[in-house]
Amino acid sequence: MGSGAEIKDLLTEILTSSEFCNVINNALSSRLTTTPAISPTVQVPTLPGRNTSETPPSSRMSMISSRIHEMFPSIPRARHSRSQSRNSSRGLTPFEKEVFLIKRKSCEETLKRNEKFDAFKDGYAKPAVKLYTQWKVGEIKQHLREVFQSVLTNTDFDFLMPVSGYLSKIDMEDLNGARLKALLRQKPLYLRPHVDLVQDDNDEGTFEETDYTMNDLEEFPDIRSLDDHTQNVNSFTLELQALHNKITESVTYFNVNREDIFLTCKLALQRKSFNPFNRLSVNFVDSDENTEGAIDGGGPSAEMFRLCMSYFLTSCLFDGNNESKNLTYCIEQLQANNYYYCGQIIGMSILHGFGGPNFISQALFDFLLYGIDGMAPNIDDVPEGTLKTILHTMHDCNDVVDLQNIILDEDMISISGWSFISDITEKEKLIADVCKFHVALRVRPALEQFESGLKSCEIHHLINKYPSDMKSLFCFTATKLTFSKMKELFSPVLNPQGSNLRSIENRVLGNYYNFVADCEADDLEVSLQDILIFTTGCRTIPPLGFKQTPTIEFLHNTTKIYPEASTCALVLKLPVIHTNYDAFKDNMIFGIGNGAVFGLQ
């Protein structure tokens, strides 16, 4: 007896043979006199560019099946085409999403009930669009274009998700169907086009008047400078300004010590009368309990928050490199509520106009934006140590047996939920799951405590509403060096005005500023970054700035022709012997370009 497949092939040959077709035609002729005869070669209308003069066996099989069904209704029609359709998506995991296509590119809020009804009526909404977890972002976009082809013009669009009544843009980098499903969960998907899809001459829009003026923002310089790429006051700046204006006339007194900045700040936060919206009065006390300076006029608050950020950067609350920190899980810190106080101090720093930490990782920011399901940490987010070494070994491994042995031998892998791997194609998912367990799920209590601290200052909702602007405050962004930035960064140490030495220093300083301007214009062999490295040892300005102000000094009473630098004291020492700019420039280029052997201390 042959196998099932052999029997099926034999039956197919019989049913599609010309002899069998003739037998069926003769049998049908007495029952269906109006039905045209079946032939192994049936003429059908010819489609452009396709030769269809001969019907393939599969089509003949379908015709015969239909004829038999007419004579014997109890016998179902063949389902060959449906089986093919199912087979084409075999191995893919589908999910369905309610999708709304927004008409206006400036829309920032979710649709209300009546607006949703109109969207469905006009074709701008679909109740159950089928997507697949294995699809990449390009495939998802292409499918959505086809779904909305009747109303979507030839323009690109962004993916958004609803968060507290507002629309939050979804980062499309490394996005796929699986992550999109995890981010949205039960929420609908919004599509926002880059151009308006409708034009209405009568729609002049609405504008909500505010009392804020440019003069008002002059009193809040740090907030005004958050968006360097525009001179206009955008909606994010205005909303942050409005939040700042909620600060009351009540005062919270901070008596802090530089040597124990976090503990002394917590004493103020733990008072029953504390409110993050109170005005701040910061008083620094040294180790001899002597007060430093007057009650806060702005500078002491900035210094306190800077010192707190510096403490957090190196504390046991965070782990990772200085440009991408994740929260740790420390039971003592959790019981002391320190993750909460950390989030609260960061929120207060932004609330009172002194900026953010600038060292939060993308994974931690994703938690604040999307929740724990939206986190997608990778190996770089895992703390240095045994686990990271194991993950790198797994990443380089291409043998499923070796991977299985690692799972069995290493508890840190098995506790992540994996006890068996059946195919090497599962390796990437295995690594991703292990990273998420150790960076996110295991640390969840600390994450939620940190988030609560931010919410106490009403900062968290701004992350949902303005993710790009808030990311620039939380995450590290390398500052582009410019002439203005370099001039602002270094403070010259000058002799008294009118002295002979001051006259020399003015001439040298002028040559130096011309040198910096030429470096910015790429007219020289050295760059602004080369000057920064020569003086500080850093390629970029650190997220929290330098611990002390870099200075410019002058090499008086010497015949030295090259610049010198002290990377520990952050001092750039300029030669004074050159009487013209060209000689100064040439020797600066040589000295900085050979900084490994000249001038560094």
Side-chain angles (χ1 to χ4, degrees):
M1 192 70 179
S3 66
E6 292 175 343
I7 295 173
K8 181 178 179 182
D9 292 341
L10 179 61
L11 289 174
T12 300
E13 292 181 9
I14 295 173
L15 293 175
T16 56
S17 65
S18 58
E19 292 82 358
F20 183 78
C21 288
N22 292 332
V23 172
I24 294 297
N25 282 330
N26 293 333
L28 293 176
S29 59
S30 60
R31 295 285 302 275
L32 301 172
T33 56
T34 60
T35 304
I38 303 175
S39 170
T41 56
V42 180
Q43 298 294 325
V44 296
T46 302
L47 297 176
R50 180 182 296 179
N51 183 7
T52 57
S53 59
E54 183 171 316
T55 304
S58 60
S59 298
R60 284 184 279 160
M61 184 68 189
S62 178
M63 291 180 180
I64 293 171
S65 174
S66 298
R67 295 288 181 85
I68 293 175
H69 178 74
E70 291 180 24
M71 295 181 62
F72 309 102
S74 62
I75 301 177
R77 290 186 176 90
R79 304 194 179 193
H80 180 71
S81 61
R82 291 179 60 186
S83 298
Q84 278 190 327
S85 176
R86 284 199 303 270
N87 291 336
S88 65
S89 61
R90 183 176 298 170
L92 297 180
T93 306
F95 66 99
E96 293 183 344
K97 272 293 152 197
E98 186 178 38
V99 183
F100 292 96
L101 175 62
I102 303 172
K103 300 178 183 179
R104 303 288 186 183
K105 65 179 181 180
S106 58
C107 181
E108 295 183 349
E109 298 182 356
T110 58
L111 299 180
K112 305 300 184 289
R113 183 173 181 179
N114 291 339
E115 293 172 329
K116 288 183 177 181
F117 177 80
D118 292 338
F120 280 110
K121 182 182 66 174
D122 299 336
Y124 287 88
K126 302 296 180 182
V129 177
K130 180 177 286 188
L131 305 172
Y132 293 92
T133 57
Q134 290 84 354
W135 277 359
K136 297 181 179 179
V137 65
E139 295 173 297
I140 298 174
K141 273 196 166 187
Q142 180 59 34
H143 182 65
L144 293 174
R145 286 185 185 279
E146 296 172 358
V147 170
F148 290 101
Q149 60 182 344
S150 61
V151 291
L152 183 61
T153 58
N154 187 23
T155 182
D156 200 4
F157 52 86
D158 297 322
F159 291 176
L160 303 101
M161 62 181 292
V163 179
S164 302
Y166 295 99
L167 294 175
S168 178
K169 185 177 177 181
I170 298 175
D171 187 0
M172 292 193 184
E173 184 177 357
D174 298 328
L175 184 69
N176 55 31
R179 188 172 187 201
L180 183 65
K181 179 183 178 183
L183 289 176
L184 294 173
R185 287 176 284 185
Q186 302 301 319
K187 299 178 180 179
L189 173 65
Y190 280 79
L191 310 179
R192 184 168 61 195
H194 290 183
V195 298
D196 290 340
L197 300 182
V198 293
Q199 298 294 332
D200 188 351
D201 296 336
N202 296 324
D203 184 9
E204 298 179 356
T206 59
F207 179 76
E208 182 179 352
E209 295 185 356
T210 66
D211 297 326
Y212 309 131
T213 66
M214 296 298 290
N215 290 332
D216 293 329
L217 295 177
E218 289 288 353
E219 300 176 1
F220 204 38
D222 295 293
I223 294 301
R224 186 183 176 190
S225 63
L226 287 174
D227 192 1
D228 293 332
H229 66 271
T230 178
Q231 296 298 321
N232 299 322
V233 182
N234 59 26
S235 56
F236 168 68
T237 305
L238 286 177
E239 187 150 350
L240 200 54
Q241 171 70 59
L243 190 63
H244 175 76
N245 289 344
K246 293 173 67 174
I247 294 174
T248 68
E249 291 300 315
S250 300
V251 179
T252 295
Y253 292 94
F254 286 82
N255 297 289
V256 295
N257 188 322
R258 281 185 170 84
E259 297 178 1
D260 205 350
I261 187 68
F262 185 44
L263 178 61
T264 50
C265 280
K266 278 176 58 180
L267 295 176
L269 303 180
Q270 291 170 341
R271 296 192 192 110
K272 292 182 179 180
S273 61
F274 170 76
N275 185 326
F277 286 88
N278 288 349
R279 287 194 307 115
L280 306 180
S281 179
V282 176
N283 202 26
F284 279 93
V285 180
D286 61 21
S287 57
D288 295 326
E289 298 185 358
N290 295 318
T291 60
E292 177 188 308
I295 295 298
D296 188 9
S301 289
E303 176 70 357
M304 180 186 72
F305 286 120
R306 189 192 70 80
L307 290 172
C308 284
M309 300 302 168
S310 183
Y311 170 82
F312 296 146
L313 187 66
T314 58
S315 73
C316 63
L317 297 171
F318 292 91
D319 201 347
N321 66 66
N322 287 351
E323 297 176 3
S324 182
K325 291 281 188 180
N326 285 293
L327 288 179
T328 62
Y329 182 79
C330 178
I331 189 63
E332 292 84 1
Q333 301 294 329
L334 194 67
Q335 291 174 345
N337 218 26
N338 283 345
Y339 295 103
Y340 174 87
Y341 292 126
C342 174
Q344 189 170 60
I345 289 174
I346 290 174
M348 287 178 61
S349 179
I350 298 173
L351 168 65
H352 289 267
F354 298 107
N358 296 119
F359 58 71
I360 297 299
S361 72
Q362 180 64 54
L364 179 50
F365 188 78
D366 283 345
F367 166 75
L368 299 175
L369 182 58
Y370 302 123
I372 202 162
D373 290 336
M375 294 181 71
N378 54 42
I379 296 179
D380 292 336
D381 292 305
V382 175
E384 295 292 337
T386 304
L387 177 61
K388 194 164 192 173
T389 302
I390 294 171
L391 289 172
H392 279 299
T393 302
M394 294 171 61
H395 181 269
D396 297 335
C397 179
N398 292 312
D399 185 89
V400 69
V401 175
D402 292 339
L403 281 175
Q404 182 60 47
N405 290 334
I406 294 175
I407 294 174
L408 295 175
D409 295 341
E410 302 294 344
D411 292 339
M412 287 186 289
I413 304 299
S414 58
I415 64 173
S416 303
W418 282 77
S419 59
F420 180 77
I421 182 170
S422 59
D423 193 273
I424 195 66
T425 58
E426 298 177 329
K427 181 179 70 172
E428 295 303 323
K429 188 176 189 309
L430 166 61
I431 293 174
D433 288 348
V434 173
C435 291
K436 184 158 187 175
F437 175 80
H438 286 278
V439 177
L441 300 177
R442 187 178 66 86
V443 189
R444 187 168 194 157
L447 290 169
E448 293 175 347
Q449 197 177 95
F450 177 75
E451 183 181 42
S452 296
L454 288 172
K455 288 181 176 179
S456 70
C457 304
E458 300 184 20
I459 291 296
H460 189 267
H461 81 281
L462 293 179
I463 297 175
N464 295 323
K465 193 171 181 181
Y466 303 102
S468 297
D469 297 278
M470 293 299 286
K471 183 178 177 180
S472 67
L473 295 176
F474 279 82
C475 301
F476 174 74
T477 303
T479 304
K480 186 180 185 305
L481 293 175
T482 62
F483 170 82
S484 299
K485 192 68 179 178
M486 291 292 287
K487 188 173 183 294
E488 175 188 344
L489 184 64
F490 289 88
S491 177
V493 179
L494 302 170
N495 277 285
Q497 187 72 35
S499 65
N500 291 333
L501 291 179
R502 178 61 177 270
S503 178
I504 296 173
E505 291 164 355
N506 288 340
R507 170 176 53 81
V508 175
L509 201 58
N511 286 336
Y512 170 73
Y513 287 145
N514 283 323
F515 177 76
V516 173
D518 288 344
C519 290
E520 182 186 34
D522 293 330
D523 291 338
L524 304 180
E525 292 88 344
V526 297
S527 65
L528 296 180
Q529 187 183 61
D530 293 328
I531 299 175
L532 188 66
I533 294 172
F534 180 80
T535 309
T536 68
C538 298
R539 295 184 176 275
T540 60
I541 298 174
L544 301 177
F546 295 102
K547 292 184 178 180
Q548 59 196 79
T549 302
T551 59
I552 296 174
E553 296 181 0
F554 302 88
L555 295 169
H556 291 295
N557 303 320
T558 179
T559 58
K560 293 180 178 180
I561 63 174
Y562 300 118
E564 295 180 358
S566 173
T567 55
C568 294
L570 305 182
V571 178
L572 174 62
K573 301 177 182 180
L574 300 177
V576 300
I577 195 172
H578 306 295
T579 57
N580 62 75
Y581 174 66
D582 288 338
F584 176 86
K585 176 186 68 176
D586 292 341
N587 285 281
M588 287 289 289
I589 292 173
F590 186 84
I592 293 173
N594 295 276
V597 292
F598 284 99
L600 292 181
Q601 299 178 13

